[in-house]
C-alpha cells in the first residue's frame, strides 16, 4: 500500500511547488513590464489554478479520509495544525499589517480579518480552508452527496458573481443590493470557492484509476482563457480569482497529476508550504534592499527580475529551513545514540 502511494502522488507534490510559485507570480506580476495581456494570462488565468489545487489536495487526503473512512481524528488533527500555523504566521505578519495600514488597530477589525480574510493578503486561504472543511464535514452526514454538491456549486456561484462576474450582478437589483451590503463588511467573495474544491478532492479520492490525459486539461484551460479575456475586455471583474470553467479544468488537472507515476516527495511539500507563507515577507525585504542600494528601477521596476528574485529567495530560504531542520534532527538522534 505504501509503495503505491509513493508512485501515485509525486505529480501532486511537484505541482504544489509550482502552485506556490504561481501565487508569487500573482503578487508580483512578472510580465507586466513587457505585456499586460501576457501577464494577465499568466497571473489571472494560469496561476488561478494554484489555490483551488491546494483546496483539492486537502479534500483528497484529509476530508476524504475523515468522512469516507470515518477518521475524525485525522480531520481534527488537520484543523488544529492549520489553526496553529495560521495563528503563528498571523502574529508574525500582524505588525507588518499595522505598519502597512492593512489593520487599523481595532479589535473588531482584527477579529474580522482573522476569521474571514487573514491579517495579510495571502493568509485568507487558512480561514477559507478551515471553514470549508467544517461546512463539508457538517453537511456530509446530513444530506446525500448530490445535495451537497448542489450546495457547493451554489456557494461557488455566490462567490463567482461577487468576483469575476460582478459586472453582471450589478445589473440585477436584488443581487446588486446583496453584494453592496456584503462588501460593506468584506473585501472579497473568494472564500466561497473552498467547499466545492474540497468536495471535488473528496470525489476524486474514490477513483481507483486516474487517467493521464493531458488534452482535456489543455482544452479546458483554453476555454477558461477565452472566458477570462472576455470578462476582462468588458470590464466585468471586480476581482479575478474565480471562473466558471475553472471547475472542469481543475477536475482534469488534478486527475492528470494524480495519475503520474512519480515518487512522493515530502520535503517538496514542506518547501511549497513555506514558500507560500514567507513570500510576502521576501517581497518586502527585497523592496527594502533595492531602496537601500539605490537600485529600485533595476530590481523592482523590472517586474520579471523582481518576480524571479522573489521566487528564488523564497525557494532558497525555504530549502535552508527544511534541510537545516533535517540536519538538526539527525544530529539530535546521533547525540542520543552516544548517551
Amino acid at each position: 500500500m505504501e509503495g503505491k502511494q509513493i508512485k501515485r502522488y509525486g505529480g501532486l507534490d511537484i505541482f504544489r511547488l509550482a502552485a506556490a510559485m504561481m501565487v508569487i507570480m500573482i503578487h508580483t506580476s512578472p510580465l507586466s513590464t513587457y505585456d499586460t495581456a501576457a501577464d494577465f494570462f499568466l497571473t489571472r488565468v494560469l496561476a488561478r489554478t494554484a489555490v483551488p489545487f491546494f483546496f483539492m489536495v486537502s479534500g483528497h487526503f484529509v476530508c476524504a479520509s475523515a468522512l469516507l473512512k470515518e477518521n475524525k481524528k485525522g480531520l481534527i488533527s488537520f484543523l488544529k495544525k492549520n489553526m496553529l500555523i495560521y495563528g503563528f504566521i498571523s502574529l508574525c505578519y500582524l505588525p507588518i499589517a499595522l505598519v502597512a495600514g492593512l489593520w487599523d488597530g481595532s479589535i473588531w477589525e482584527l477579529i474580522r480579518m482573522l476569521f474571514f480574510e487573514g491579517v495579510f493578503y495571502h493568509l485568507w486561504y487558512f480561514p477559507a480552508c478551515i471553514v470549508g472543511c467544517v461546512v463539508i464535514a457538517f453537511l456530509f452526514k446530513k444530506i446525500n452527496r448530490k445535495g451537497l454538491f448542489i450546495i457547493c456549486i451554489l456557494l461557488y456561484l455566490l462567490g463567482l458573481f461577487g468576483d469575476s462576474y460582478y459586472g453582471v450582478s450589478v445589473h440585477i437589483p436584488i443581487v446588486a443590493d446583496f453584494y453592496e451590503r456584503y462588501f460593506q463588511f468584506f473585501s472579497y467573495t473568494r472564500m466561497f470557492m473552498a467547499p466545492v474544491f474540497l468536495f471535488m478532492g473528496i470525489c476524486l479520492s474514490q477513483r481507483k484509476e486516474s487517467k493521464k490525459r493531458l488534452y482535456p486539461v489543455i482544452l479546458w484551460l483554453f476555454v477558461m482563457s477565452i472566458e477570462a479575456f472576455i470578462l476582462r475586455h468588458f470590464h466585468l471583474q471586480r476581482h479575478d480569482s474565480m471562473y466558471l470553467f475553472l471547475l472542469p479544468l481543475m477536475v482534469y488537472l488534478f486527475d492528470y497529476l494524480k495519475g503520474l507515476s512519480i515518487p512522493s516527495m515530502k520535503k517538496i511539500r514542506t518547501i511549497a508550504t513555506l514558500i507560500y507563507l514567507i513570500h510576502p515577507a521576501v517581497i518586502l525585504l527585497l523592496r527594502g534592499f533595492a531602496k537601500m542600494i539605490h537600485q529600485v528601477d533595476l530590481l523592482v521596476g523590472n517586474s520579471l527580475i523582481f518576480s524571479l528574485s522573489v521566487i528564488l529567495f523564497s525557494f532558497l530560504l525555504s530549502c535552508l529551513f527544511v534541510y537545516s531542520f533535517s540536519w538538526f534532527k539527525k544530529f539530535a538522534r546521533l547525540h542520543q545514540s552516544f548517551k
Side-chain angles (χ1 to χ4, degrees):
M1 191 71 179
E2 186 64 27
K4 289 183 180 179
Q5 184 171 345
I6 290 172
K7 289 182 179 179
R8 288 181 65 184
Y9 302 131
L12 298 177
D13 292 337
I14 292 172
F15 196 81
R16 285 192 211 212
L17 185 61
M21 292 180 179
M22 283 193 280
V23 171
I24 295 177
M25 293 178 193
I26 292 171
H27 296 149
T28 55
S29 298
L31 300 180
S32 58
T33 301
Y34 305 96
D35 189 292
T36 55
D39 188 73
F40 178 80
F41 172 75
L42 178 64
T43 63
R44 267 60 194 174
V45 181
L46 189 62
R48 287 308 184 191
T49 60
V51 172
F53 172 78
F54 291 137
F55 285 132
M56 291 181 74
V57 166
S58 297
H60 186 279
F61 292 104
V62 179
C63 294
S65 176
L67 302 176
L68 299 175
K69 300 177 183 178
E70 298 187 354
N71 179 22
K72 293 181 180 179
K73 289 183 179 179
L75 179 60
I76 293 170
S77 175
F78 172 79
L79 293 175
K80 285 181 178 178
K81 179 182 176 181
N82 275 269
M83 286 178 186
L84 286 171
I85 293 173
Y86 180 49
F88 173 75
I89 205 70
S90 294
L91 285 174
C92 294
Y93 278 101
L94 197 58
I96 304 173
L98 185 60
V99 172
L102 300 175
W103 174 42
D104 61 9
S106 70
I107 297 299
W108 290 113
E109 176 66 8
L110 178 60
I111 292 172
R112 185 190 70 82
M113 292 169 71
L114 281 172
F115 281 90
F116 297 99
E117 296 183 3
V119 300
F120 219 67
Y121 53 78
H122 66 310
L123 296 179
W124 71 272
Y125 170 82
F126 286 93
C129 187
I130 292 166
V131 172
C133 285
V134 172
V135 169
I136 292 292
F138 176 76
L139 294 176
F140 198 82
K141 297 294 183 181
K142 303 290 182 182
I143 57 177
N144 59 41
R145 294 181 194 178
K146 183 178 179 180
L148 178 54
F149 180 67
I150 291 171
I151 290 174
C152 290
I153 289 293
L154 290 175
L155 288 173
Y156 187 79
L157 291 174
L158 184 64
L160 185 69
F161 279 92
D163 193 274
S164 288
Y165 284 80
Y166 182 69
V168 176
S169 65
V170 294
H171 295 291
I172 307 171
I174 297 176
V175 179
D177 183 61
F178 166 78
Y179 285 115
E180 184 180 351
R181 294 176 185 274
Y182 177 90
F183 288 123
Q184 289 176 359
F185 298 96
F186 308 107
S187 302
Y188 304 100
T189 57
R190 57 194 176 188
M191 282 190 69
F192 291 104
M193 76 161 70
V196 71
F197 290 113
L198 287 165
F199 185 72
M200 284 162 56
I202 295 172
C203 293
L204 286 173
S205 72
Q206 295 184 278
R207 291 193 61 170
K208 293 181 180 180
E209 294 293 333
S210 295
K211 298 179 180 179
K212 293 182 288 185
R213 297 181 300 176
L214 190 57
Y215 70 87
V217 178
I218 297 170
L219 173 64
W220 285 113
L221 177 60
F222 177 72
V223 173
M224 192 181 83
S225 300
I226 294 173
E227 176 190 16
F229 276 95
I230 289 173
L231 293 170
R232 177 176 181 259
H233 177 76
F234 289 103
H235 306 287
L236 298 177
Q237 295 170 299
R238 186 181 189 275
H239 193 46
D240 44 37
S241 58
M242 305 171 72
Y243 296 106
L244 187 62
F245 292 106
L246 181 60
L247 296 172
L249 170 61
M250 292 311 302
V251 171
Y252 285 102
L253 175 61
F254 195 92
D255 195 47
Y256 172 77
L257 294 169
K258 183 182 170 183
L260 297 176
S261 297
I262 302 173
S264 291
M265 292 163 275
K266 185 178 179 180
K267 286 182 180 178
I268 290 294
R269 295 198 293 269
T270 307
I271 289 168
T273 301
L274 288 171
I275 288 173
Y276 184 91
L277 294 175
I278 70 170
H279 79 269
V282 174
I283 289 173
L284 293 173
L285 288 171
L286 286 177
R287 283 177 177 164
F289 177 72
K291 288 180 180 179
M292 186 176 69
I293 65 171
H294 306 290
Q295 294 294 331
V296 174
D297 289 341
L298 175 63
L299 298 179
V300 179
N302 187 303
S303 61
L304 183 59
I305 291 175
F306 182 62
S307 184
L308 291 175
S309 299
V310 174
I311 290 172
L312 177 62
F313 282 102
S314 297
F315 176 74
L316 291 176
L317 287 172
S318 299
C319 288
L320 180 64
F321 178 85
V322 168
Y323 286 99
S324 296
F325 185 71
S326 177
W327 293 331
F328 176 79
K329 285 173 64 177
K330 288 179 181 178
F331 177 77
R333 286 197 296 268
L334 183 64
H335 179 69
Q336 284 291 114
S337 66
F338 283 101
K339 284 188 175 182

